[in-house]
C-alpha cells in the first residue's frame, strides 16, 4: 500500500546525485503579489495567471517492497472561494528495491483570483480505478494580491 509522508510548496528542490537526499529551498507559507492592470475588461476576482516558478514536492512510501501498486499523485489547486484552478497528476512509480518515492510538480506560473488561502490538495489515485482517490494532504498557501494599489 502506498502511503504519504509529506508535501511542501517551495521555490525549488535539489536532489544530491551521490546521496539521493533532497534539499528544499524557500518553503512557502505566504506570498504577496502586486500588479498594475490597465485592461478595462479586467474584472476583480477573475483568475489571473502570473509568471512565478515554484514546486510542490511530495514524499510517498510503501510498507512492502514486493508491492508495485499502480497509482497517481494528483494535486488539485483551489482558491479561497473554493474554485478549482487546476488539476495535475503524475505516476507514482517505485524503484524495485526502494520503499520511498518523491514526486515533484514544477510550475512556471501561478493562478490567482483573490487574496486568501489557496489550497494544494494532494490525492493518491488508483490507476486501475481512476474514480477512486484518497486525500492524503493539504498544503495551504496564504496569498495577498494588490491590483492597481488595492488589495483584492
Amino acid at each position: 500500500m502506498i502511503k504519504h509522508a509529506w508535501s511542501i510548496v517551495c521555490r525549488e528542490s535539489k536532489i544530491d546525485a551521490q546521496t539521493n537526499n533532497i534539499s528544499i529551498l524557500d518553503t512557502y507559507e505566504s506570498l504577496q503579489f502586486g500588479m498594475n492592470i490597465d485592461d478595462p475588461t479586467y474584472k476583480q476576482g477573475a483568475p489571473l495567471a502570473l509568471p512565478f516558478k515554484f514546486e510542490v514536492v511530495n514524499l510517498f512510501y510503501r510498507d512492502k517492497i514486493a508491492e508495485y501498486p499502480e497509482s497517481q499523485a494528483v494535486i488539485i489547486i483551489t482558491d479561497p472561494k473554493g474554485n478549482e484552478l487546476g488539476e495535475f497528476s503524475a505516476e507514482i512509480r517505485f524503484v524495485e528495491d526502494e520503499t520511498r518515492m518523491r514526486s515533484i510538480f514544477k510550475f512556471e506560473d501561478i493562478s490567482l483570483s483573490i487574496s486568501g488561502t489557496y489550497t494544494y490538495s494532494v490525492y493518491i489515485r488508483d490507476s486501475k480505478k481512476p474514480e477512486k482517490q484518497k486525500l492524503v494532504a493539504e498544503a495551504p498557501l496564504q496569498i495577498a494580491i494588490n491590483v492597481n494599489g488595492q488589495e483584492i
Side-chain angles (χ1 to χ4, degrees), residues 5-36:
W6 50 259
S7 295
I8 294 175
V9 180
C10 64
R11 178 176 55 87
E12 184 179 13
S13 62
K14 295 185 182 277
I15 299 173
D16 184 279
Q18 293 179 338
T19 65
N20 196 35
N21 286 327
I22 190 167
S23 295
I24 305 291
L25 306 174
D26 296 337
T27 300
Y28 293 136
E29 296 175 356
S30 65
L31 295 169
Q32 295 182 9
F33 292 92
M35 65 203 87
N36 290 317

PDB file of all heavy atoms in Angstrom, residues 5-36:
ATOM      1  N   ALA A   5       3.963  10.713   3.180  1.00  0.00           N
ATOM      2  CA  ALA A   5       4.746  11.194   4.324  1.00  0.00           C
ATOM      3  C   ALA A   5       4.601  12.709   4.483  1.00  0.00           C
ATOM      4  O   ALA A   5       4.293  13.183   5.568  1.00  0.00           O
ATOM      5  CB  ALA A   5       6.219  10.821   4.169  1.00  0.00           C
ATOM      6  N   TRP A   6       4.829  13.484   3.408  1.00  0.00           N
ATOM      7  CA  TRP A   6       4.727  14.942   3.497  1.00  0.00           C
ATOM      8  C   TRP A   6       4.598  15.584   2.121  1.00  0.00           C
ATOM      9  O   TRP A   6       4.923  14.973   1.103  1.00  0.00           O
ATOM     10  CB  TRP A   6       5.904  15.562   4.261  1.00  0.00           C
ATOM     11  CG  TRP A   6       7.283  15.127   3.839  1.00  0.00           C
ATOM     12  CD1 TRP A   6       8.070  14.211   4.476  1.00  0.00           C
ATOM     13  CD2 TRP A   6       8.056  15.584   2.716  1.00  0.00           C
ATOM     14  NE1 TRP A   6       9.267  14.070   3.804  1.00  0.00           N
ATOM     15  CE2 TRP A   6       9.295  14.907   2.732  1.00  0.00           C
ATOM     16  CE3 TRP A   6       7.831  16.504   1.702  1.00  0.00           C
ATOM     17  CZ2 TRP A   6      10.277  15.121   1.779  1.00  0.00           C
ATOM     18  CZ3 TRP A   6       8.811  16.717   0.747  1.00  0.00           C
ATOM     19  CH2 TRP A   6      10.022  16.027   0.801  1.00  0.00           C
ATOM     20  N   SER A   7       4.124  16.849   2.146  1.00  0.00           N
ATOM     21  CA  SER A   7       4.033  17.686   0.947  1.00  0.00           C
ATOM     22  C   SER A   7       4.451  19.096   1.325  1.00  0.00           C
ATOM     23  O   SER A   7       4.095  19.581   2.401  1.00  0.00           O
ATOM     24  CB  SER A   7       2.597  17.732   0.409  1.00  0.00           C
ATOM     25  OG  SER A   7       2.192  16.472  -0.037  1.00  0.00           O
ATOM     26  N   ILE A   8       5.191  19.754   0.428  1.00  0.00           N
ATOM     27  CA  ILE A   8       5.703  21.099   0.682  1.00  0.00           C
ATOM     28  C   ILE A   8       5.596  21.931  -0.587  1.00  0.00           C
ATOM     29  O   ILE A   8       5.904  21.451  -1.683  1.00  0.00           O
ATOM     30  CB  ILE A   8       7.184  21.044   1.139  1.00  0.00           C
ATOM     31  CG1 ILE A   8       7.293  20.350   2.490  1.00  0.00           C
ATOM     32  CG2 ILE A   8       7.810  22.421   1.179  1.00  0.00           C
ATOM     33  CD1 ILE A   8       8.702  20.134   2.967  1.00  0.00           C
ATOM     34  N   VAL A   9       5.172  23.191  -0.420  1.00  0.00           N
ATOM     35  CA  VAL A   9       5.204  24.160  -1.524  1.00  0.00           C
ATOM     36  C   VAL A   9       6.475  24.974  -1.329  1.00  0.00           C
ATOM     37  O   VAL A   9       6.716  25.528  -0.258  1.00  0.00           O
ATOM     38  CB  VAL A   9       3.966  25.084  -1.500  1.00  0.00           C
ATOM     39  CG1 VAL A   9       4.029  26.073  -2.655  1.00  0.00           C
ATOM     40  CG2 VAL A   9       2.673  24.267  -1.556  1.00  0.00           C
ATOM     41  N   CYS A  10       7.316  25.020  -2.369  1.00  0.00           N
ATOM     42  CA  CYS A  10       8.618  25.685  -2.235  1.00  0.00           C
ATOM     43  C   CYS A  10       9.030  26.327  -3.557  1.00  0.00           C
ATOM     44  O   CYS A  10       8.412  26.097  -4.591  1.00  0.00           O
ATOM     45  CB  CYS A  10       9.680  24.687  -1.790  1.00  0.00           C
ATOM     46  SG  CYS A  10      10.001  23.365  -2.977  1.00  0.00           S
ATOM     47  N   ARG A  11      10.102  27.113  -3.480  1.00  0.00           N
ATOM     48  CA  ARG A  11      10.642  27.727  -4.698  1.00  0.00           C
ATOM     49  C   ARG A  11      11.316  26.684  -5.573  1.00  0.00           C
ATOM     50  O   ARG A  11      11.142  26.652  -6.788  1.00  0.00           O
ATOM     51  CB  ARG A  11      11.642  28.834  -4.349  1.00  0.00           C
ATOM     52  CG  ARG A  11      12.272  29.485  -5.592  1.00  0.00           C
ATOM     53  CD  ARG A  11      13.189  30.636  -5.266  1.00  0.00           C
ATOM     54  NE  ARG A  11      14.245  30.312  -4.343  1.00  0.00           N
ATOM     55  CZ  ARG A  11      15.439  29.811  -4.684  1.00  0.00           C
ATOM     56  NH1 ARG A  11      15.722  29.572  -5.938  1.00  0.00           N
ATOM     57  NH2 ARG A  11      16.345  29.552  -3.766  1.00  0.00           N
ATOM     58  N   GLU A  12      12.095  25.803  -4.924  1.00  0.00           N
ATOM     59  CA  GLU A  12      12.903  24.859  -5.699  1.00  0.00           C
ATOM     60  C   GLU A  12      13.352  23.713  -4.798  1.00  0.00           C
ATOM     61  O   GLU A  12      13.500  23.874  -3.600  1.00  0.00           O
ATOM     62  CB  GLU A  12      14.130  25.598  -6.253  1.00  0.00           C
ATOM     63  CG  GLU A  12      15.015  24.803  -7.147  1.00  0.00           C
ATOM     64  CD  GLU A  12      16.190  25.617  -7.662  1.00  0.00           C
ATOM     65  OE1 GLU A  12      16.460  26.729  -7.150  1.00  0.00           O
ATOM     66  OE2 GLU A  12      16.866  25.122  -8.568  1.00  0.00           O
ATOM     67  N   SER A  13      13.599  22.562  -5.419  1.00  0.00           N
ATOM     68  CA  SER A  13      14.196  21.439  -4.712  1.00  0.00           C
ATOM     69  C   SER A  13      15.387  20.952  -5.525  1.00  0.00           C
ATOM     70  O   SER A  13      15.414  21.087  -6.747  1.00  0.00           O
ATOM     71  CB  SER A  13      13.181  20.307  -4.524  1.00  0.00           C
ATOM     72  OG  SER A  13      12.751  19.815  -5.777  1.00  0.00           O
ATOM     73  N   LYS A  14      16.372  20.441  -4.817  1.00  0.00           N
ATOM     74  CA  LYS A  14      17.567  19.897  -5.472  1.00  0.00           C
ATOM     75  C   LYS A  14      17.850  18.521  -4.884  1.00  0.00           C
ATOM     76  O   LYS A  14      17.823  18.346  -3.666  1.00  0.00           O
ATOM     77  CB  LYS A  14      18.763  20.803  -5.259  1.00  0.00           C
ATOM     78  CG  LYS A  14      18.621  22.168  -5.926  1.00  0.00           C
ATOM     79  CD  LYS A  14      19.887  22.987  -5.777  1.00  0.00           C
ATOM     80  CE  LYS A  14      19.715  24.344  -6.394  1.00  0.00           C
ATOM     81  NZ  LYS A  14      19.926  24.377  -7.808  1.00  0.00           N
ATOM     82  N   ILE A  15      18.162  17.562  -5.762  1.00  0.00           N
ATOM     83  CA  ILE A  15      18.464  16.208  -5.329  1.00  0.00           C
ATOM     84  C   ILE A  15      19.949  15.956  -5.525  1.00  0.00           C
ATOM     85  O   ILE A  15      20.475  16.127  -6.623  1.00  0.00           O
ATOM     86  CB  ILE A  15      17.622  15.177  -6.099  1.00  0.00           C
ATOM     87  CG1 ILE A  15      16.136  15.444  -5.821  1.00  0.00           C
ATOM     88  CG2 ILE A  15      18.009  13.759  -5.702  1.00  0.00           C
ATOM     89  CD1 ILE A  15      15.190  14.623  -6.641  1.00  0.00           C
ATOM     90  N   ASP A  16      20.610  15.574  -4.451  1.00  0.00           N
ATOM     91  CA  ASP A  16      22.038  15.275  -4.487  1.00  0.00           C
ATOM     92  C   ASP A  16      22.256  13.970  -5.249  1.00  0.00           C
ATOM     93  O   ASP A  16      21.672  12.939  -4.905  1.00  0.00           O
ATOM     94  CB  ASP A  16      22.585  15.167  -3.064  1.00  0.00           C
ATOM     95  CG  ASP A  16      24.081  14.945  -3.045  1.00  0.00           C
ATOM     96  OD1 ASP A  16      24.504  13.780  -3.241  1.00  0.00           O
ATOM     97  OD2 ASP A  16      24.820  15.920  -2.826  1.00  0.00           O
ATOM     98  N   ALA A  17      23.086  13.995  -6.274  1.00  0.00           N
ATOM     99  CA  ALA A  17      23.314  12.827  -7.119  1.00  0.00           C
ATOM    100  C   ALA A  17      24.001  11.681  -6.377  1.00  0.00           C
ATOM    101  O   ALA A  17      23.770  10.513  -6.695  1.00  0.00           O
ATOM    102  CB  ALA A  17      24.147  13.212  -8.336  1.00  0.00           C
ATOM    103  N   GLN A  18      24.831  11.989  -5.402  1.00  0.00           N
ATOM    104  CA  GLN A  18      25.555  10.941  -4.679  1.00  0.00           C
ATOM    105  C   GLN A  18      24.722  10.281  -3.588  1.00  0.00           C
ATOM    106  O   GLN A  18      24.768   9.076  -3.424  1.00  0.00           O
ATOM    107  CB  GLN A  18      26.840  11.497  -4.085  1.00  0.00           C
ATOM    108  CG  GLN A  18      27.845  11.891  -5.141  1.00  0.00           C
ATOM    109  CD  GLN A  18      29.107  12.466  -4.522  1.00  0.00           C
ATOM    110  OE1 GLN A  18      29.108  12.937  -3.403  1.00  0.00           O
ATOM    111  NE2 GLN A  18      30.186  12.416  -5.293  1.00  0.00           N
ATOM    112  N   THR A  19      23.959  11.082  -2.846  1.00  0.00           N
ATOM    113  CA  THR A  19      23.224  10.537  -1.706  1.00  0.00           C
ATOM    114  C   THR A  19      21.734  10.349  -1.962  1.00  0.00           C
ATOM    115  O   THR A  19      21.057   9.675  -1.194  1.00  0.00           O
ATOM    116  CB  THR A  19      23.375  11.464  -0.484  1.00  0.00           C
ATOM    117  OG1 THR A  19      22.739  12.711  -0.788  1.00  0.00           O
ATOM    118  CG2 THR A  19      24.833  11.658  -0.119  1.00  0.00           C
ATOM    119  N   ASN A  20      21.215  10.959  -3.018  1.00  0.00           N
ATOM    120  CA  ASN A  20      19.792  10.977  -3.340  1.00  0.00           C
ATOM    121  C   ASN A  20      18.973  11.730  -2.290  1.00  0.00           C
ATOM    122  O   ASN A  20      17.759  11.618  -2.242  1.00  0.00           O
ATOM    123  CB  ASN A  20      19.230   9.559  -3.537  1.00  0.00           C
ATOM    124  CG  ASN A  20      17.885   9.595  -4.234  1.00  0.00           C
ATOM    125  OD1 ASN A  20      17.635  10.427  -5.098  1.00  0.00           O
ATOM    126  ND2 ASN A  20      16.997   8.699  -3.838  1.00  0.00           N
ATOM    127  N   ASN A  21      19.630  12.510  -1.437  1.00  0.00           N
ATOM    128  CA  ASN A  21      18.913  13.349  -0.480  1.00  0.00           C
ATOM    129  C   ASN A  21      18.408  14.592  -1.198  1.00  0.00           C
ATOM    130  O   ASN A  21      18.995  15.055  -2.171  1.00  0.00           O
ATOM    131  CB  ASN A  21      19.817  13.752   0.688  1.00  0.00           C
ATOM    132  CG  ASN A  21      20.057  12.604   1.630  1.00  0.00           C
ATOM    133  OD1 ASN A  21      19.194  11.753   1.818  1.00  0.00           O
ATOM    134  ND2 ASN A  21      21.233  12.566   2.238  1.00  0.00           N
ATOM    135  N   ILE A  22      17.328  15.149  -0.670  1.00  0.00           N
ATOM    136  CA  ILE A  22      16.709  16.315  -1.290  1.00  0.00           C
ATOM    137  C   ILE A  22      16.914  17.542  -0.403  1.00  0.00           C
ATOM    138  O   ILE A  22      16.846  17.445   0.817  1.00  0.00           O
ATOM    139  CB  ILE A  22      15.210  16.068  -1.559  1.00  0.00           C
ATOM    140  CG1 ILE A  22      14.622  17.183  -2.428  1.00  0.00           C
ATOM    141  CG2 ILE A  22      14.434  15.873  -0.270  1.00  0.00           C
ATOM    142  CD1 ILE A  22      13.255  16.863  -2.991  1.00  0.00           C
ATOM    143  N   SER A  23      17.179  18.667  -1.036  1.00  0.00           N
ATOM    144  CA  SER A  23      17.231  19.956  -0.353  1.00  0.00           C
ATOM    145  C   SER A  23      16.038  20.764  -0.840  1.00  0.00           C
ATOM    146  O   SER A  23      15.812  20.894  -2.044  1.00  0.00           O
ATOM    147  CB  SER A  23      18.517  20.711  -0.679  1.00  0.00           C
ATOM    148  OG  SER A  23      19.632  20.024  -0.170  1.00  0.00           O
ATOM    149  N   ILE A  24      15.293  21.292   0.112  1.00  0.00           N
ATOM    150  CA  ILE A  24      14.125  22.118  -0.197  1.00  0.00           C
ATOM    151  C   ILE A  24      14.538  23.568   0.011  1.00  0.00           C
ATOM    152  O   ILE A  24      14.976  23.948   1.093  1.00  0.00           O
ATOM    153  CB  ILE A  24      12.941  21.776   0.721  1.00  0.00           C
ATOM    154  CG1 ILE A  24      12.603  20.279   0.665  1.00  0.00           C
ATOM    155  CG2 ILE A  24      11.736  22.644   0.412  1.00  0.00           C
ATOM    156  CD1 ILE A  24      12.028  19.805  -0.631  1.00  0.00           C
ATOM    157  N   LEU A  25      14.401  24.402  -1.035  1.00  0.00           N
ATOM    158  CA  LEU A  25      14.807  25.795  -0.956  1.00  0.00           C
ATOM    159  C   LEU A  25      13.576  26.697  -0.884  1.00  0.00           C
ATOM    160  O   LEU A  25      12.671  26.587  -1.712  1.00  0.00           O
ATOM    161  CB  LEU A  25      15.651  26.164  -2.169  1.00  0.00           C
ATOM    162  CG  LEU A  25      16.863  25.253  -2.420  1.00  0.00           C
ATOM    163  CD1 LEU A  25      17.536  25.622  -3.716  1.00  0.00           C
ATOM    164  CD2 LEU A  25      17.832  25.336  -1.262  1.00  0.00           C
ATOM    165  N   ASP A  26      13.554  27.583   0.099  1.00  0.00           N
ATOM    166  CA  ASP A  26      12.494  28.579   0.273  1.00  0.00           C
ATOM    167  C   ASP A  26      11.102  27.947   0.332  1.00  0.00           C
ATOM    168  O   ASP A  26      10.309  28.044  -0.603  1.00  0.00           O
ATOM    169  CB  ASP A  26      12.532  29.629  -0.837  1.00  0.00           C
ATOM    170  CG  ASP A  26      13.800  30.447  -0.815  1.00  0.00           C
ATOM    171  OD1 ASP A  26      14.444  30.536   0.250  1.00  0.00           O
ATOM    172  OD2 ASP A  26      14.155  31.002  -1.864  1.00  0.00           O
ATOM    173  N   THR A  27      10.798  27.322   1.430  1.00  0.00           N
ATOM    174  CA  THR A  27       9.454  26.795   1.656  1.00  0.00           C
ATOM    175  C   THR A  27       8.491  27.968   1.768  1.00  0.00           C
ATOM    176  O   THR A  27       8.754  28.934   2.485  1.00  0.00           O
ATOM    177  CB  THR A  27       9.415  25.954   2.943  1.00  0.00           C
ATOM    178  OG1 THR A  27      10.338  24.877   2.811  1.00  0.00           O
ATOM    179  CG2 THR A  27       8.034  25.399   3.191  1.00  0.00           C
ATOM    180  N   TYR A  28       7.368  27.893   1.043  1.00  0.00           N
ATOM    181  CA  TYR A  28       6.408  28.991   1.037  1.00  0.00           C
ATOM    182  C   TYR A  28       5.246  28.713   1.976  1.00  0.00           C
ATOM    183  O   TYR A  28       4.623  27.656   1.911  1.00  0.00           O
ATOM    184  CB  TYR A  28       5.852  29.223  -0.377  1.00  0.00           C
ATOM    185  CG  TYR A  28       6.862  29.742  -1.364  1.00  0.00           C
ATOM    186  CD1 TYR A  28       6.939  29.213  -2.641  1.00  0.00           C
ATOM    187  CD2 TYR A  28       7.729  30.769  -1.036  1.00  0.00           C
ATOM    188  CE1 TYR A  28       7.847  29.699  -3.565  1.00  0.00           C
ATOM    189  CE2 TYR A  28       8.648  31.257  -1.954  1.00  0.00           C
ATOM    190  CZ  TYR A  28       8.701  30.711  -3.210  1.00  0.00           C
ATOM    191  OH  TYR A  28       9.599  31.191  -4.125  1.00  0.00           O
ATOM    192  N   GLU A  29       4.965  29.695   2.836  1.00  0.00           N
ATOM    193  CA  GLU A  29       3.775  29.686   3.672  1.00  0.00           C
ATOM    194  C   GLU A  29       2.862  30.835   3.290  1.00  0.00           C
ATOM    195  O   GLU A  29       1.651  30.736   3.419  1.00  0.00           O
ATOM    196  CB  GLU A  29       4.158  29.796   5.147  1.00  0.00           C
ATOM    197  CG  GLU A  29       4.960  28.614   5.641  1.00  0.00           C
ATOM    198  CD  GLU A  29       5.435  28.785   7.072  1.00  0.00           C
ATOM    199  OE1 GLU A  29       5.198  29.861   7.665  1.00  0.00           O
ATOM    200  OE2 GLU A  29       6.039  27.847   7.591  1.00  0.00           O
ATOM    201  N   SER A  30       3.477  31.941   2.856  1.00  0.00           N
ATOM    202  CA  SER A  30       2.696  33.091   2.406  1.00  0.00           C
ATOM    203  C   SER A  30       3.480  33.833   1.328  1.00  0.00           C
ATOM    204  O   SER A  30       4.707  33.818   1.312  1.00  0.00           O
ATOM    205  CB  SER A  30       2.371  34.024   3.571  1.00  0.00           C
ATOM    206  OG  SER A  30       3.543  34.584   4.093  1.00  0.00           O
ATOM    207  N   LEU A  31       2.734  34.474   0.432  1.00  0.00           N
ATOM    208  CA  LEU A  31       3.311  35.235  -0.674  1.00  0.00           C
ATOM    209  C   LEU A  31       2.505  36.505  -0.879  1.00  0.00           C
ATOM    210  O   LEU A  31       1.323  36.563  -0.519  1.00  0.00           O
ATOM    211  CB  LEU A  31       3.275  34.418  -1.977  1.00  0.00           C
ATOM    212  CG  LEU A  31       4.112  33.148  -2.034  1.00  0.00           C
ATOM    213  CD1 LEU A  31       3.747  32.335  -3.271  1.00  0.00           C
ATOM    214  CD2 LEU A  31       5.586  33.494  -2.049  1.00  0.00           C
ATOM    215  N   GLN A  32       3.148  37.508  -1.486  1.00  0.00           N
ATOM    216  CA  GLN A  32       2.470  38.750  -1.844  1.00  0.00           C
ATOM    217  C   GLN A  32       2.748  39.057  -3.307  1.00  0.00           C
ATOM    218  O   GLN A  32       3.883  38.936  -3.758  1.00  0.00           O
ATOM    219  CB  GLN A  32       2.968  39.906  -0.984  1.00  0.00           C
ATOM    220  CG  GLN A  32       2.632  39.756   0.473  1.00  0.00           C
ATOM    221  CD  GLN A  32       3.105  40.941   1.298  1.00  0.00           C
ATOM    222  OE1 GLN A  32       3.544  41.955   0.762  1.00  0.00           O
ATOM    223  NE2 GLN A  32       3.010  40.808   2.605  1.00  0.00           N
ATOM    224  N   PHE A  33       1.710  39.449  -4.008  1.00  0.00           N
ATOM    225  CA  PHE A  33       1.839  39.824  -5.413  1.00  0.00           C
ATOM    226  C   PHE A  33       1.211  41.193  -5.603  1.00  0.00           C
ATOM    227  O   PHE A  33       0.128  41.470  -5.085  1.00  0.00           O
ATOM    228  CB  PHE A  33       1.122  38.818  -6.330  1.00  0.00           C
ATOM    229  CG  PHE A  33       1.765  37.469  -6.357  1.00  0.00           C
ATOM    230  CD1 PHE A  33       1.355  36.473  -5.491  1.00  0.00           C
ATOM    231  CD2 PHE A  33       2.787  37.205  -7.247  1.00  0.00           C
ATOM    232  CE1 PHE A  33       1.954  35.222  -5.509  1.00  0.00           C
ATOM    233  CE2 PHE A  33       3.395  35.960  -7.270  1.00  0.00           C
ATOM    234  CZ  PHE A  33       2.979  34.960  -6.399  1.00  0.00           C
ATOM    235  N   GLY A  34       1.901  42.060  -6.347  1.00  0.00           N
ATOM    236  CA  GLY A  34       1.374  43.366  -6.696  1.00  0.00           C
ATOM    237  C   GLY A  34       1.486  43.567  -8.193  1.00  0.00           C
ATOM    238  O   GLY A  34       2.481  43.174  -8.799  1.00  0.00           O
ATOM    239  N   MET A  35       0.444  44.137  -8.784  1.00  0.00           N
ATOM    240  CA  MET A  35       0.461  44.344 -10.226  1.00  0.00           C
ATOM    241  C   MET A  35      -0.417  45.527 -10.591  1.00  0.00           C
ATOM    242  O   MET A  35      -1.334  45.881  -9.848  1.00  0.00           O
ATOM    243  CB  MET A  35       0.009  43.087 -10.959  1.00  0.00           C
ATOM    244  CG  MET A  35      -1.436  42.715 -10.681  1.00  0.00           C
ATOM    245  SD  MET A  35      -1.798  41.001 -10.967  1.00  0.00           S
ATOM    246  CE  MET A  35      -1.359  40.331  -9.395  1.00  0.00           C
ATOM    247  N   ASN A  36      -0.113  46.111 -11.721  1.00  0.00           N
ATOM    248  CA  ASN A  36      -0.948  47.166 -12.289  1.00  0.00           C
ATOM    249  C   ASN A  36      -1.568  46.621 -13.561  1.00  0.00           C
ATOM    250  O   ASN A  36      -0.863  46.093 -14.427  1.00  0.00           O
ATOM    251  CB  ASN A  36      -0.123  48.418 -12.595  1.00  0.00           C
ATOM    252  CG  ASN A  36       0.334  49.112 -11.341  1.00  0.00           C
ATOM    253  OD1 ASN A  36      -0.436  49.260 -10.402  1.00  0.00           O
ATOM    254  ND2 ASN A  36       1.585  49.525 -11.300  1.00  0.00           N
TER     255      ASN A  36
END
